[in-house]
Amino acid sequence: MTTALFYLFSIFLLGSALFVVLNRHPVYSVVMLVFSFANLAGIYFLLEAYFIGILQVLVYAGAIMVLFLFVVMLLNVSPERPRARWVPLDRWWFGAVALVFVISLGALLVRGVGQLPSARSEVPDGFGGITQIAEALFSRYLLPFETAALLLTVALVGTVFLAKRKI
Amino acid sequence: MSGFDIAAALVKVLLVFGVTMLTIMLMTLAERRVSAFMQYRLGPNRVGFGGLLQPLADGLKFLLKEDIIPTQANRPIYLLAPVIVMVPALMTMAVIPFGAPLQIGEHLVPLQVADLNIGVLYILALTSVGVYGLVLAGWGSGSKYPLLGGLRASAQLISYELAMGLSIIGVVMLTGGLTFGEIIAYQQETGWNIWKQPLAALIFLIAIFAETNRLPFDLTEAEQELVGGYHTEYSSLKFAMFYLSEYANMITASAFMVSLFFGGWDVPFVDELAMGGWGVALSVLAFVVKVGFFLFLYIWVRWTFPRFRYDQLMRLGWKVLLPLALVNVVLTGFWLVWRAGA
């Protein structure tokens, strides 16, 4: 059951991710990206990381992608020159960039796989729960957490300042 | 999972789905009858006893209407949007407990479809996905008014989601858990949360009115300005899907409110768990009555108050409710520290 679901989510995830990259229509791409996030959340659920999974939906799919959609919708890409429906794949530099990416990802995977715990290892009690994540965030990773909060505040104030000169 | 568990889960899924659909039907009728009552007229009372079969007649009419897809519409997006609105609206009821656990033989069956350990966040996440349906419906229709309606709807939903989420945090801080089971058990022990978090309850109540696009916050479908909002171009069953999900969202929001602040299925001063089958029946009845009250409140408010202006709505959300919700979080924190010290 779990394995079947894993493959189902993975196929949907990869398929929709490919669609995002290869399709030329920006709104379709955003919708498919949201769909791929939903499937990623599904994989987190299978790993019993419910909190991370729900954050994936709540923050990425629910909040950030809505802003993407706004931007894409309101930019309204002009249909002046006829454009292909799909991204043409015959340019050589596409292949080159993809190759570099695949090699670096492959290297990462090869190095990382050896360090993973085996699939049969026990999941500790309360793993991925909100308590554990909160304990990690507010003790061991307190400084990075607060720095990120400060950074976001600065970005927020800056955005308001830039967008609204007269307040 | 034994066969019994699977059977129980199936029964619960069908029960919750069926009751939700039935309540939606009754709500469409109640809306018209209650509004008629408030305006000193009769309302639809001809189809069936007291108009009880009116929703069926309405549904039939939706089915038989011509399904129009505008030529300017973006077809895939236009067809997808009602589905994106409806599916999350019907999924959210799954985490809400509607009665005390039922003892059948040696099995203890919790009256709740799924007890997720992040139950509260699950509802917030799904409602935030529902926003896409509104935006895409507005954009995909390829028409000006729906686009404006969709933009308003999404801006409104995103703004009030913040106040809503922050008002829940106070309750979660008191309880120390995100499951509805824990929240209700906490309220059974120490009294309903409405007494301890009145400010949060008020903010939450206002926010759910805005989240469900109901008057006085139904800017998204302000008829005088926008014709009909994001679903202007929809007809037939696709319009019915928007209509159904609006009522489904109201039911979920009421049940959410009841579970967070009004003890869920709890009856004060009564130990339901010790009463066996009768206790369970009593708890389900209590839950239905409480949710019914909030559904009535929705209709009552709709036919009592005028609509806000758009800038007033935004100002209320960002400059009043959000700071108040933050103050509530800080106060709750101080109180918890003080209590731990005392």
Side-chain angles (χ1 to χ4, degrees):
Chain A
M1 175 82 168
T2 314
T3 321
L5 277 177
F6 173 77
Y7 281 112
L8 191 74
F9 285 138
S10 307
I11 289 168
F12 279 144
L13 177 64
L14 293 177
S16 53
L18 272 178
F19 190 95
V20 172
V21 184
L22 294 181
N23 191 274
R24 262 281 164 82
H25 199 301
V27 173
Y28 294 173
S29 290
V30 172
V31 173
M32 287 316 268
L33 192 54
V34 174
F35 184 62
S36 75
F37 282 157
N39 283 298
L40 189 57
I43 290 181
Y44 282 136
F45 283 142
L46 288 182
L47 293 171
E48 298 196 21
Y50 295 106
F51 185 60
I52 299 288
I54 213 80
L55 279 191
Q56 179 78 23
V57 176
L58 191 67
V59 177
Y60 280 96
I64 294 178
M65 291 314 295
V66 173
L67 296 181
F68 271 56
L69 191 61
F70 268 122
V71 173
V72 166
M73 263 168 39
L74 299 178
L75 277 184
N76 228 353
V77 185
S78 63
E80 282 163 13
R81 58 200 168 94
R83 302 182 66 173
R85 192 164 168 190
W86 301 94
V87 175
L89 281 178
D90 50 356
R91 314 259 166 84
W92 62 270
W93 61 82
F94 285 8
V97 171
L99 196 67
V100 170
F101 186 70
V102 165
I103 289 173
S104 50
L105 194 69
L108 211 65
L109 274 180
V110 169
R111 279 179 57 189
V113 161
Q115 297 168 8
L116 287 177
S118 78
R120 294 188 198 290
S121 61
E122 277 292 304
V123 176
D125 207 27
F127 172 80
I130 195 162
T131 320
Q132 286 199 338
I133 289 173
E135 270 171 11
L137 269 188
F138 288 102
S139 54
R140 194 172 160 198
Y141 300 105
L142 183 64
L143 188 65
F145 179 70
E146 296 289 349
T147 317
L150 195 67
L151 195 67
L152 285 175
T153 315
V154 170
L156 196 67
V157 173
T159 317
V160 172
F161 181 74
L162 285 177
K164 267 196 136 156
R165 283 295 164 84
K166 271 193 290 185
I167 297 174
Chain B
M1 260 198 167
S2 69
F4 179 83
D5 288 335
I6 295 174
L10 264 179
V11 169
K12 282 189 287 186
V13 168
L14 289 176
L15 188 73
V16 168
F17 182 73
V19 170
T20 310
M21 291 311 262
L22 193 69
T23 317
I24 292 172
M25 282 171 59
L26 287 177
M27 271 301 283
T28 60
L29 177 69
E31 177 112 75
R32 298 166 70 182
R33 291 295 309 229
V34 172
S35 67
F37 168 69
M38 287 177 183
Q39 296 167 346
Y40 203 61
R41 53 190 177 88
L42 285 174
N45 64 350
R46 296 287 149 181
V47 192
F49 176 72
L52 269 181
L53 294 180
Q54 184 70 38
L56 285 182
D58 288 346
L60 200 66
K61 191 181 168 194
F62 272 130
L63 268 175
L64 297 175
K65 282 263 181 183
E66 186 191 353
D67 191 9
I68 301 167
I69 298 179
T71 44
Q72 290 293 310
N74 183 317
R75 212 183 150 89
I77 300 281
Y78 180 83
L79 297 179
L80 186 69
V83 181
I84 300 185
V85 174
M86 184 140 179
V87 170
L90 289 176
M91 275 169 74
T92 37
M93 274 307 276
V95 289
I96 293 184
F98 52 92
L102 181 62
Q103 189 84 38
I104 302 177
E106 57 195 28
H107 300 278
L108 190 66
V109 183
L111 291 188
Q112 178 186 21
V113 174
D115 189 15
L116 298 180
N117 61 7
I118 34 143
V120 174
L121 289 177
Y122 169 83
I123 293 187
L124 290 181
L126 281 182
T127 43
S128 69
V129 170
V131 177
Y132 284 101
L134 312 187
V135 189
L136 292 175
W139 185 82
S141 297
S143 167
K144 298 276 189 300
Y145 288 122
L147 181 63
L148 284 175
L151 287 182
R152 276 189 182 185
S154 42
Q156 176 177 336
L157 257 60
I158 293 169
S159 307
Y160 278 79
E161 235 166 48
L162 289 174
M164 186 168 127
L166 280 172
S167 66
I168 296 171
I169 287 183
V171 173
V172 173
M173 282 166 79
L174 286 180
T175 313
L178 281 170
T179 66
F180 280 104
E182 284 170 304
I183 290 173
I184 290 170
Y186 174 79
Q187 295 184 78
Q188 275 183 312
E189 279 168 29
T190 59
W192 293 358
N193 277 334
I194 176 78
W195 309 121
K196 281 165 284 179
Q197 294 277 327
L199 184 62
L202 184 68
I203 296 169
F204 186 80
L205 184 67
I206 298 172
I208 59 172
F209 271 85
E211 286 286 309
T212 45
N213 288 327
R214 292 283 293 189
L215 266 163
F217 304 114
D218 71 335
L219 274 304
T220 56
E221 41 196 286
E223 296 90 350
Q224 294 86 346
E225 310 156 24
L226 287 178
V227 187
Y230 52 84
H231 49 49
T232 305
E233 301 287 349
Y234 283 88
S235 55
S236 183
L237 263 189
K238 289 201 265 308
F239 176 75
M241 284 167 88
F242 282 115
Y243 201 66
L244 287 185
S245 22
E246 184 180 325
Y247 284 98
N249 279 330
M250 279 161 61
I251 297 169
T252 315
S254 303
F256 201 7
M257 176 92 199
V258 165
S259 306
L260 283 179
F261 295 104
F262 292 87
W265 43 263
D266 176 49
V267 183
F269 313 117
V270 175
D271 189 6
E272 296 90 349
L273 299 176
M275 284 167 65
W278 287 110
V280 175
L282 184 68
S283 66
V284 173
L285 184 70
F287 181 75
V288 169
V289 168
K290 289 178 199 173
V291 174
F293 170 76
F294 280 99
L295 288 176
F296 177 73
L297 188 72
Y298 264 111
I299 302 176
W300 190 6
V301 166
R302 170 162 180 192
W303 298 98
T304 309
F305 291 114
R307 182 183 298 135
F308 275 71
R309 223 172 47 222
Y310 193 64
D311 58 323
Q312 291 171 329
L313 167 95
M314 282 297 164
R315 202 182 312 143
L316 178 70
W318 287 99
K319 296 191 178 171
V320 179
L321 292 184
L322 188 63
L324 275 181
L326 282 169
V327 166
N328 185 59
V329 170
V330 173
L331 284 182
T332 312
F334 274 123
W335 188 76
L336 281 176
V337 171
W338 176 79
R339 193 184 61 175

